[in-house]
């Protein structure tokens, strides 16, 4: 399921992480989710590279800032991918897509992605675990998420009016 979620690039993995943690416990659920997300990122990278790389490079103007981002390689590519994986609000599919259509190698992508997914997934598993247990920490996490959601909704509503 993680592989399919990664390929589509639009569905969040948190519900599947919840199921993994509920069925297999904290560490086994973490391990299963991690393996699934890394395999999903690898397959998505390969598919995106085969399907979109030429199209993106032919349609992007040569002076575009995007093209500069797509030309990043080596150590710079590793640091960029790792940094983006650590940020929870950047969709994983977007990071994979830009990495796949760029010049960076598969080895750099997969190593940076796997390393970056460890802390991000740990936070997700920790949150899901405590929410599912109904612990005080879970209630605090839900309260914070609710406040953030309400804030986002109110900001969108203000922009419309």
């Amino acid at each position: 399921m993680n592989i399919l979620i990664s390929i589509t690039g639009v569905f969040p993995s948190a519900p599947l992480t919840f199921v993994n943690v509920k069925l297999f416990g904290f560490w086994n659920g973490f391990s299963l989710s991690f393996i699934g997300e890394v395999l999903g990122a690898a397959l998505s990278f390969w598919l995106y590279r085969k399907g979109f790389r030429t199209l993106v490079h032919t349609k992007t103007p040569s002076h575009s800032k995007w093209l500069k981002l797509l030309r990043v390689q080596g150590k710079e590519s590793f640091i960029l991918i790792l940094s983006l994986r650590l940020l929870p609000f950047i969709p994983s599919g977007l990071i994979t897509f830009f990495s796949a259509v760029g010049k960076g190698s598969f080895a750099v992508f997969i190593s940076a992605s796997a390393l970056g997914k460890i802390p991000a997934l740990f936070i997700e598993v920790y949150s899901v675990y405590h929410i599912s247990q109904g612990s005080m920490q879970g209630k605090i996490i839900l309260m914070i998420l609710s406040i953030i959601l309400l804030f986002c909704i109110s900001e969108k509503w203000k922009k419309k009016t």
Side-chain angles (χ1 to χ4, degrees), residues 41-54 56-57 70 77 81 85 92-106 109 113:
L43 184 58
S44 297
F45 180 92
W46 182 78
L47 289 172
Y48 294 168
R49 181 155 278 188
K50 292 288 182 197
F52 296 108
R53 190 175 195 185
T54 304
V56 168
H57 284 277
L70 296 177
S77 177
I81 294 166
R85 288 285 186 213
S92 187
L94 196 61
I95 299 166
T96 303
F97 179 79
F98 276 103
S99 299
V101 299
K103 297 275 187 191
S105 71
F106 175 77
F109 168 77
S113 287

Side-chain angles (χ1 to χ4, degrees), residues 3-133:
I3 293 170
L4 292 175
I5 288 170
S6 294
I7 291 170
T8 61
V10 294
F11 299 110
S13 62
L16 183 57
T17 301
F18 176 81
V19 171
N20 288 342
V21 169
K22 236 5 203 173
L23 292 177
F24 303 108
F26 187 91
W27 289 110
N28 289 335
F30 173 85
S31 299
L32 184 61
S33 292
F34 177 75
I35 291 167
E37 287 198 23
V38 171
L39 289 175
L43 184 58
S44 297
F45 180 92
W46 182 78
L47 289 172
Y48 294 168
R49 181 155 278 188
K50 292 288 182 197
F52 296 108
R53 190 175 195 185
T54 304
L55 177 69
V56 168
H57 284 277
T58 57
K59 299 290 182 188
T60 305
S62 60
H63 63 280
S64 172
K65 290 180 183 179
W66 289 106
L67 199 55
K68 291 177 186 174
L69 179 63
L70 296 177
R71 289 186 177 148
V72 173
Q73 291 179 307
K75 183 179 177 183
E76 192 177 16
S77 177
F78 180 88
I79 292 169
L80 181 62
I81 294 166
L82 177 65
S83 300
L84 292 173
R85 288 285 186 213
L86 293 172
L87 299 172
F89 52 85
I90 297 180
S92 187
L94 196 61
I95 299 166
T96 303
F97 179 79
F98 276 103
S99 299
V101 299
K103 297 275 187 191
S105 71
F106 175 77
V108 166
F109 168 77
I110 203 65
S111 57
S113 287
L115 192 59
K117 281 184 178 287
I118 292 171
L121 187 60
F122 183 81
I123 292 167
E124 185 176 310
V125 168
Y126 181 86
S127 300
V128 161
Y129 177 79
H130 283 289
I131 289 169
S132 70
Q133 297 298 314

